[in-house]
Each structure stands twice: as structure tokens, then as C-alpha cells.
Amino acid sequence: LAVKDPTAVERANLLNMAKLSIKGLIESALSFGRTLDSDYPPLQQFFVVMEHCLKHGLKVRKSFLSYNKTIWGPLELVEKLYPEAEEIAASVRDLPGLKTPLGRARAWLRLALMQKKMADYLRCLIIQRDLLSEFYEYHALMMEEEGAVIVGLLVGLNVIDANLCVKGEDLDSQVGVIDFSMYLKSDDEIGGKERDEQIAAILDQKNYVEELNRQLNSTVSSLHARVDSLEKSNTKLIEELAIAKNNIIKLQEENHQLRSENTLILMKTQHHLEATKVDVEAELQTYKHSRQGLDEMYNEARRQLREESQLRQDMENELVVQVSMKHEIELAMKLLEKDIHEKQDALIGLRQQLDEVKAINMEMYQKLQVSEDAMKEKNEIIGQLEDKTNQINATMKQLEQRLQQAEKAQMEAEAEDEKLKQEYVNKSESLQKEFSQKEKQLLQLETDLKIEKEWRQTLEDDLQKEKETVSHLRLETQEIINLKKEFLKLQEKNKQLKRICQDQEAALQELASKLSESKLKIEDIKEANKALQGQVWLKDKEATHCKLCEKEFSLSKRKHHCRNCGEIFCNACSDNELPLPSSPKPVRVCDSCHAILIQRCSSNVP
């Protein structure tokens, strides 16, 4: 029989126990009710099984007093991998009554089950196997495939709602023993198919609701992100609005300052105008004296402007002449370049002819060598013939005529050779002379080309100088035009100031006349007010009889009122008259107080 690995057997047993405990917990919770308490036995057995699964293959850590073997270390690592687990870890650390790491681990498992995120937390822990290797052996359940299977089974616990009280429970001293009697079923306890179908339907509904809840959570998170972005943009817009308001306030302050400065400037100008009014008359007199000098200056400036315009016209004419000269120079340069190209083509043709003459000389020299070789062969033949003349006397006679003919032919050939040599020598000398003449012509053309280039360079320099002078003269003419414009502007400003001064003088005269009239009217009103102070006019109905004669008032007897005492007399009783310098007629006076009497009309108005 093959010996099995004990660690593999342990992993398989723990996986089967986890399956049984999770399945039993889900079935019992669906039959009993989905909300479970901490006293519920299948739930307690589930935590015991999970504790055994997490303890499998755990490394032993040395402490100061003894060896320590706890599952709180890997569970505490979850908050670093999954940020949402920080709340659970913080609440477990803050729980009172928990003294051991095992009690903290048990509390952590209960809180994770209540949050329905135990599978997510353990999945993040299983993925990071390099970190788990610090706490578990390589053959541990959490390091193998069985751990991933258990994490997958834990997803089914999301259908259960657990309401556990962790605060008052003693988690440090609990004994984790698995009760196998809960998982041994009898024949009577076997459920039907309908119950399983109901459980499956309920689980599907629960999973659908949880998936919908997750989608809603994702949409809520995206909406939160949009709200945050909108808040940020709103804050930015508020900041920009505040900056704009501050800028508006600053601009308003600047406007107020400018208005105050404008008022100050107006006050200063008014004072200045008042001060200058005195000086204007003196300036007018001085202006009359200086006007003649200004006219002379204007005539001189006009004369200078004419001279400058004439100078400008001359410079423009010179510029036209220079431009025409430039065009002529460019045409001459183009013609020179054309002549140079033609001369270069002629030089190339001469060089080709020289190469052909050299080739002809080489051919003639080769023919001369061939003729010399023929002469040498003939001389050898003649020597052989002379040797044979002694031996063959008989043939000598016959060959004398041939010998004479051969000698004649030899002489003719020698004469021809000499003529050819002389012709070749003459031709080579004439070709050498022509080559030397062509070289001299080439040197002459090169020197002419250099001279023409230098002349062109000097012409370009002169043209550049002329351009600079023309630009300088244009600037001077522009400055003169600008000065003329400024002079015209100053003249217009002077005319405007004169008009303003005349208008202000007329306004001052009108104001002075109005002020004098208003002062006279005010004095008259004051005198009238002084005369009318303390008077109390009686009504017409009440004033029916004279105070002296006690007769009724009528058309013949008119009413006269005293300014001082307020009594009313008739014209017959008030006979006392007093002449005044301000009035042409004498004024009636009261008999009692001698004050001026005022005649009343039929109305209450004096």
C-alpha cells in the first residue's frame, strides 16, 4: 500500500469539515431564520472549524518565555492589503477584555462575518502568498488549493445575517473542539427536493440582491466622485468669483481715487485758470510782440522745409540714377558671366584639340618607329646579300639591276622618311606655340575675371553705401515731417487755449454782472425783511375801522399799516409825509411811532 502524505490528509479533512459546517450553517439558518445570534450552535462550530483551518501549518514563533502559535498575525496583515479592513482591526484593538491574540482573531472573524466580507478579506490574503510564507509552512492549508476552495465556499455565507455581541463575550478562554455529532444525519432528517429548490431560489435571490447592491454602491461611488469634482470646480469658481469681486472692488477704489484725483485736478486747474487769468493779459501783450518773431521763425522753417523737400527730391533723383546704374551693372555682370562661360567653353574646346594633337603625334611617332624597324631589316638583308655575292657570282649579274633598283627605292624611302620627320617636327613646334598662346590667353582671362570680380565687389559696396545714405536721408525727412506735424499740433493747441481763454473771460464777465445783480437783489431783500420783522398783519374782516378816527374803511379811505407798532390808519388820518432819498415821492409816517406806513390792498398781501 502507498503511504499518503499526512499533511495532505489533514488538508482534505479540514476542507470536508469546512464544507459540512458551511452547508449545515446555511441550511439551518434558512430553516431557523436568517438572523443568527452568537449562541447558535452551528455558528459556533463554524468559527471553531475556521480557527482550525487558519491554524493548520502555522509557524511557531519564539517569545521571551515560551513558544507562540497564533492566527492574529496573518489576520492583522489584511488591513494593509484591503483598506476597508482597517475599521475592523481598529475596533478589535479597542475592545475591552481581549488580552490574547487568539481572542482578537476570534473577534475579527465574527466582525468579518457580520460585514459579509470574510471571503473578500481571506481572498486578498491568499493572493499574497509571499507574505503568508512568513506565517505558514509551505504545506499549510492557506498556502495550497484547499484554501482557495474554502474562500469560495465562504461566499455562500453572504445570505446569512449575523447579529453577534462581541463586546461582553469571553473569547480568550473558549475551547475550540469540533462537535461531529451535528454533522451525522439520520434517515428522518433527509430533506426533500422541494426544500433544496426553495433554498436555491432564495440563495439566487440573495445573490441577485447583493450584486444589485454592489452595482448601486459602484454608481454611488461614481456619483460621489462626480460630486467631489463638482465641489472642487464650484470652489474654484467661488475663488475666481471672489478674485473677480476683489478686482471689482480694487477697480472701484481706483475709480474713486481717479475721480478724487480728477476733482483735485479740476480744482487745481480752476485755481490755475484764476491765476493765469492775470497772466493772460500780460501774455497777450507779449504774444503780440512775439508773434512777429514767430512769423519769422515760421517763414524760416518753411524755407528750410522747401530746401529739405528739394534735397529730398534730389536724393530721390539720385536714387533713381543709382537704381538705373545698379540695373546696368547687373546687366554688365550678366554679360561678363556669359563671356566667361563662353571663354571657358572655348578653353575646354582648345584642351580637347590639344589632346587630339597629342594623339596624332603619338600615332606619327609609332609610324616612325615602324619605318626605322623596316630600315634595320633592310640593312640586314643588304648585308646578307653582300655575303652571298662572293659565293654566288653567277647570280650577281642577274641581281645587280635588282640591287640598283632596291638602292633607288631605299634612297627614295630615306628621303620620304626625312620629309616626314621634318613635317612632324614643324607640326609639334607649331602645336607647342599654340598651346603656349592658349595658356597665356587663359592666364589673361583669369586676371580679367579677377579684375571684374573686384570691380563688381567695389560696385556692390558703393551701392550698399548709397542705400545706407538713402535710408538715412529718408529717416531725416521722416523726422522733419514729424516735427512739422508737432509744430502744427502746437499751433492748434495755442489757438484752442486762446479760444478757451476768451470764453473764460466772457464767462467771468457774465458771472461778475450776475453777481452784482444778485448782490443788489439780496440787499433789497434784506432791507425788506428787516422792515417786515415783528409785524403782525390783521385780516381784512378784523381791520374794519381806523384806530384814530374810528371810521370804516372805504374806497376813499384806504388802509395804511405801520411797520413798527402794527396799527392801521386811513389815508385821512395819516397826513404826515416824510421825503426819502431812495424814493422819488414822500412817504407817509405813523403819528405815534413815526414809522413808514405801507398801503394795503383788498387782500392780505402787503
Side-chain angles (χ1 to χ4, degrees):
L1 293 174
V3 179
K4 292 184 178 181
D5 188 5
T7 57
V9 174
E10 290 176 359
R11 290 197 301 272
N13 292 332
L14 287 172
L15 178 61
N16 293 324
M17 284 304 302
K19 289 179 180 179
L20 289 172
S21 64
I22 291 167
K23 184 177 179 182
L25 180 61
I26 292 170
E27 290 177 354
S28 61
L30 292 174
S31 61
F32 176 73
R34 293 191 184 183
T35 304
L36 304 178
D37 298 331
S38 59
D39 296 332
Y40 192 61
L43 185 62
Q44 292 179 355
Q45 287 297 313
F46 167 71
F47 286 126
V48 171
V49 172
M50 285 303 299
E51 186 177 342
H52 280 282
C53 291
L54 291 171
K55 281 183 179 179
H56 183 262
L58 194 66
K59 289 183 180 179
V60 179
R61 294 198 171 191
K62 294 180 180 180
S63 62
F64 291 103
L65 300 176
S66 62
Y67 292 99
N68 188 10
K69 190 175 182 181
T70 179
I71 60 174
W72 175 240
L75 293 178
E76 193 177 10
L77 188 64
V78 176
E79 62 177 333
K80 296 179 181 178
L81 302 174
Y82 204 84
E84 294 181 2
E86 294 179 356
E87 185 179 355
I88 296 176
S91 60
V92 167
R93 292 190 191 97
D94 295 336
L95 281 174
L98 295 178
K99 298 179 181 179
T100 60
L102 184 60
R104 294 191 187 94
R106 288 169 178 171
W108 189 91
L109 289 173
R110 283 156 175 79
L111 292 174
L113 182 63
M114 283 193 287
Q115 280 190 345
K116 297 183 181 181
K117 289 186 178 181
M118 184 185 290
D120 296 333
Y121 294 157
L122 294 178
R123 182 173 58 80
C124 292
L125 191 64
I126 286 170
I127 291 170
Q128 304 292 332
R129 293 192 178 183
D130 53 349
L131 298 175
L132 280 177
S133 61
E134 297 180 0
F135 301 98
Y136 289 100
E137 300 290 343
Y138 67 94
H139 55 79
L141 184 139
M142 298 296 290
M143 299 289 288
E144 295 293 336
E145 294 180 357
E146 287 83 356
V149 175
I150 291 170
V151 170
L153 293 171
L154 290 174
V155 176
L157 295 177
N158 293 333
V159 300
I160 298 171
D161 296 328
N163 187 6
L164 307 176
C165 183
V166 184
K167 189 173 182 180
E169 193 173 358
D170 187 11
L171 299 174
D172 293 330
S173 60
Q174 285 183 0
V175 179
V177 179
I178 300 173
D179 187 6
F180 292 101
S181 63
M182 295 178 65
Y183 307 109
L184 299 175
K185 292 184 179 180
S186 61
D187 295 334
D188 297 332
E189 294 177 354
I190 299 170
K193 292 183 180 179
E194 294 179 356
R195 186 179 177 185
D196 293 336
E197 291 176 357
Q198 290 177 359
I199 291 168
I202 291 166
L203 287 173
D204 292 335
Q205 291 177 0
K206 184 70 175 179
N207 292 327
Y208 172 72
V209 170
E210 287 179 352
E211 185 66 26
L212 184 62
N213 192 10
R214 287 180 183 176
Q215 292 179 359
L216 290 173
N217 287 327
S218 64
T219 55
V220 166
S221 63
S222 65
L223 289 171
H224 280 301
R226 288 181 66 186
V227 168
D228 293 332
S229 64
L230 289 172
E231 286 178 354
K232 289 179 181 178
S233 63
N234 193 9
T235 52
K236 288 180 180 179
L237 290 172
I238 290 166
E239 290 176 356
E240 291 177 356
L241 182 61
I243 292 164
K245 286 182 178 178
N246 293 325
N247 291 325
I248 289 165
I249 292 164
K250 289 179 181 178
L251 290 171
Q252 288 177 356
E253 290 177 355
E254 289 179 358
N255 192 4
H256 183 66
Q257 290 178 0
L258 289 170
R259 285 182 179 178
S260 61
E261 288 178 358
N262 193 5
T263 53
L264 290 172
I265 289 164
L266 287 171
M267 293 294 290
K268 288 179 180 179
T269 51
Q270 287 177 0
H271 289 298
H272 184 67
L273 286 171
E274 290 176 358
T276 52
K277 282 175 186 178
V278 181
D279 299 332
V280 166
E281 295 177 357
E283 287 181 358
L284 286 171
Q285 294 177 0
T286 55
Y287 174 73
K288 288 177 181 178
H289 293 292
S290 61
R291 185 172 181 180
Q292 187 176 1
L294 289 171
D295 292 333
E296 292 177 356
M297 290 174 67
Y298 176 72
N299 292 323
E300 188 176 356
R302 191 171 181 182
R303 183 177 57 78
Q304 289 179 359
L305 180 63
R306 287 176 182 174
E307 291 177 356
E308 292 293 335
S309 61
Q310 186 65 32
L311 183 61
R312 181 184 176 186
Q313 188 68 31
D314 295 335
M315 292 303 297
E316 288 179 354
N317 294 326
E318 289 180 359
L319 180 63
V320 171
V321 172
Q322 292 292 332
V323 169
S324 61
M325 287 177 68
K326 181 183 176 183
H327 289 300
E328 290 176 358
I329 289 164
E330 288 178 354
L331 290 171
M333 291 298 295
K334 289 179 181 179
L335 292 171
L336 287 171
E337 288 177 356
K338 187 175 180 181
D339 292 335
I340 289 163
H341 288 302
E342 290 177 355
K343 289 177 181 178
Q344 286 179 355
D345 295 333
L347 285 171
I348 291 164
L350 290 171
R351 285 177 182 173
Q352 291 177 358
Q353 290 178 4
L354 183 62
D355 292 332
E356 291 176 357
V357 169
K358 286 181 179 179
I360 292 166
N361 286 329
M362 289 297 293
E363 289 178 359
M364 295 299 291
Y365 181 71
Q366 288 176 1
K367 287 180 180 179
L368 182 62
Q369 285 182 351
V370 169
S371 63
E372 287 179 354
D373 292 333
M375 287 293 295
K376 288 178 181 179
E377 289 177 357
K378 287 178 181 179
N379 289 325
E380 289 176 357
I381 291 167
I382 290 166
Q384 290 176 2
L385 290 170
E386 286 178 354
D387 293 331
K388 287 180 180 179
T389 52
N390 295 321
Q391 295 176 2
I392 304 168
N393 293 318
T395 58
M396 191 65 181
K397 292 177 180 180
Q398 295 176 0
L399 293 173
E400 282 179 358
Q401 295 176 357
R402 293 180 181 177
L403 182 59
Q404 289 176 359
Q405 291 176 359
E407 285 178 356
K408 287 179 181 180
Q410 185 179 358
M411 293 295 289
E412 288 177 357
E414 286 178 356
E416 288 178 358
D417 290 334
E418 288 179 357
K419 287 180 181 180
L420 288 172
K421 284 181 181 180
Q422 190 65 32
E423 288 178 357
Y424 290 150
V425 170
N426 293 326
K427 285 183 180 181
S428 62
E429 287 178 354
S430 62
L431 289 172
Q432 283 180 358
K433 288 179 181 179
E434 288 179 359
F435 182 70
S436 62
Q437 287 178 359
K438 296 294 182 184
E439 285 181 350
K440 288 179 181 179
Q441 289 178 359
L442 180 61
L443 292 172
Q444 186 67 32
L445 289 171
E446 287 178 355
T447 53
D448 293 336
L449 183 61
K450 287 180 181 179
I451 291 164
E452 287 175 356
K453 284 182 179 179
E454 291 176 355
W455 184 53
R456 183 179 180 182
Q457 188 67 32
T458 52
L459 288 173
E460 287 179 354
D461 294 334
D462 294 334
L463 183 61
Q464 188 67 29
K465 289 178 181 178
E466 292 295 332
K467 286 181 180 179
E468 290 176 356
T469 53
V470 168
S471 62
H472 184 66
L473 289 170
R474 284 181 180 175
L475 292 172
E476 287 181 353
T477 53
Q478 190 67 32
E479 289 177 356
I480 289 163
I481 291 164
N482 293 326
L483 288 171
K484 185 179 178 182
K485 289 179 181 178
E486 289 178 357
F487 182 71
L488 293 172
K489 288 179 181 178
L490 289 171
Q491 283 183 349
E492 289 178 357
K493 285 182 180 179
N494 192 3
K495 290 179 181 178
Q496 290 176 0
L497 289 171
K498 285 179 182 178
R499 289 174 186 173
I500 291 165
C501 184
Q502 290 175 1
D503 294 335
Q504 288 174 354
E505 284 179 354
L508 285 171
Q509 289 177 1
E510 290 177 0
L511 286 171
S513 62
K514 287 182 181 179
L515 283 172
S516 61
E517 291 175 359
S518 62
K519 282 182 179 179
L520 293 172
K521 288 180 181 179
I522 288 164
E523 288 177 357
D524 295 334
I525 292 165
K526 284 181 180 179
E527 288 178 358
N529 288 328
K530 285 179 182 179
L532 292 173
Q533 285 178 357
Q535 294 178 359
V536 179
W537 294 91
L538 293 175
K539 295 181 180 180
D540 290 335
K541 292 180 180 180
E542 294 177 356
T544 57
H545 294 81
C546 180
K547 291 289 183 181
L548 293 176
C549 64
E550 294 182 358
K551 292 180 179 181
E552 290 183 355
F553 293 111
S554 62
L555 293 172
S556 60
K557 290 183 179 182
R558 293 184 297 275
K559 298 176 183 179
H560 288 82
H561 188 276
C562 181
R563 294 182 178 179
N564 192 11
C565 59
E567 294 180 355
I568 301 172
F569 305 99
C570 62
N571 55 358
C573 295
S574 58
D575 292 333
N576 298 322
E577 292 181 354
L578 181 67
L580 290 176
S582 61
S583 63
K585 294 181 180 181
V587 183
R588 294 180 182 273
V589 183
C590 182
D591 292 332
S592 59
C593 63
H594 299 286
I596 298 170
L597 295 176
I598 301 172
Q599 186 177 356
R600 292 183 68 177
C601 61
S602 61
S603 64
N604 293 329
V605 181

